[in-house]
Amino acid sequence: MFTLEDRDRVRDHVLELAASDPRVVAGAVVGSLAYDQGDRWSDVDLTFAVADGVPVAEVLADWTRRVVDELEAVHLFDLPSGATIYRVFLLPGCLQLDLSFTPAPQFGAGGPKFRLLFGSVVEKPHAAPPPAHELFGLAAHHAMRARFSVERGRYWQAAYLIDVVREHALSLACRRRALPARYGRGFDDLPVDLLDTFGGTLVRSTEPEELLRALDRAVAALLQEAEEAADLAEQVEPYLREVTSGWSS
């Protein structure tokens, strides 16, 4: 497992790479290490601005070759977001390195965990949490499909769909309490008594009776946290109650 010294060494190496590349005109630390030391498991998350007129893809390709060669990195995946491209690497010791590049005219803080190291930024709105209406609607859709999957004998698919219903309900719970509502980041900060009620939504086996039990609890949790999507919940609740009732297969 990587050490804190390993992490610091990787961060410093990447910042030296940035300092030697005239195409990179600004840089920042983002994520858990932006304003404190994070914890033992925090990854390296750095974001950079690319000079106006220089293709981001060109810089990203050049940096990828160097990071792979010099840090023994493995390129895991990319995540485009607007004009920004995030590229995630895995390094020896299971250290994760997240690099992102944005055209300079659009480079700025997308959230509160952003510490500028050099260059300048533009003011831009922070990324909004997922809309409550969208979270509830997707969860309702997955609840319906979960029940149909049980009836079809597609038990593993049903288990997956029930998990998504729970995750969206937890995200709604986070929204209501001003906690991070993306990628499960706020889940562990929810009240303990609330999390206890969500324990019943966990699928313990792929037996049909267990799947229906977990679906029933997931739907109840979803409706409990639907305050911000109350208009939609009111319309859909009768259908959600129906999918947890007894049907003849």
Side-chain angles (χ1 to χ4, degrees), residues 30-102:
V30 292
S32 59
L33 297 176
Y35 289 107
D36 57 41
Q37 296 303 308
D39 63 23
R40 169 71 179 81
W41 314 106
S42 297
D43 57 17
V44 178
D45 199 340
L46 298 167
T47 187
F48 299 99
V50 176
D52 196 15
V54 176
V56 167
E58 172 189 302
V59 179
L60 190 56
D62 291 345
W63 278 49
T64 296
R65 282 190 290 270
R66 294 196 60 177
V67 167
V68 168
D69 291 343
E70 298 169 11
L71 296 176
E72 302 179 65
V74 178
H75 172 200
L76 292 182
F77 64 90
D78 290 353
L79 181 63
S81 178
T84 302
I85 300 178
Y86 295 83
R87 180 158 289 181
V88 178
F89 299 90
L90 185 63
L91 277 61
C94 299
L95 174 61
Q96 182 175 315
L97 170 63
D98 299 347
L99 297 179
S100 55
F101 295 86
T102 307

Side-chain angles (χ1 to χ4, degrees), residues 116-140:
L116 186 67
L117 297 174
F118 64 92
S120 60
V121 298
V122 298
E123 293 296 324
K124 55 189 292 188
H126 289 182
H133 190 282
E134 177 181 308
L135 284 170
F136 187 91
L138 286 169

Side-chain angles (χ1 to χ4, degrees), residues 73-190:
V74 178
H75 172 200
L76 292 182
F77 64 90
D78 290 353
L79 181 63
S81 178
T84 302
I85 300 178
Y86 295 83
R87 180 158 289 181
V88 178
F89 299 90
L90 185 63
L91 277 61
C94 299
L95 174 61
Q96 182 175 315
L97 170 63
D98 299 347
L99 297 179
S100 55
F101 295 86
T102 307
Q106 300 171 65
F107 182 70
K113 294 184 176 182
F114 180 102
R115 177 166 56 90
L116 186 67
L117 297 174
F118 64 92
S120 60
V121 298
V122 298
E123 293 296 324
K124 55 189 292 188
H126 289 182
H133 190 282
E134 177 181 308
L135 284 170
F136 187 91
L138 286 169
H141 168 271
H142 281 58
M144 302 290 169
R145 306 320 299 178
R147 180 57 192 265
F148 298 155
S149 294
V150 172
E151 295 294 331
R152 290 168 171 158
R154 308 286 293 179
Y155 302 138
W156 283 96
Q157 183 179 18
Y160 163 78
L161 292 166
I162 294 167
D163 286 346
V164 177
V165 175
R166 177 181 65 253
E167 290 167 10
H168 284 20
L170 283 166
S171 294
L172 284 168
C174 288
R175 272 191 56 103
R176 291 180 60 195
R177 294 161 180 84
L179 293 170
R182 294 186 186 275
Y183 307 113
R185 289 176 178 147
F187 290 1
D188 287 287
D189 297 319
L190 288 166

Side-chain angles (χ1 to χ4, degrees), residues 5 24 126 218:
E5 292 75 19
V24 174
H126 289 182

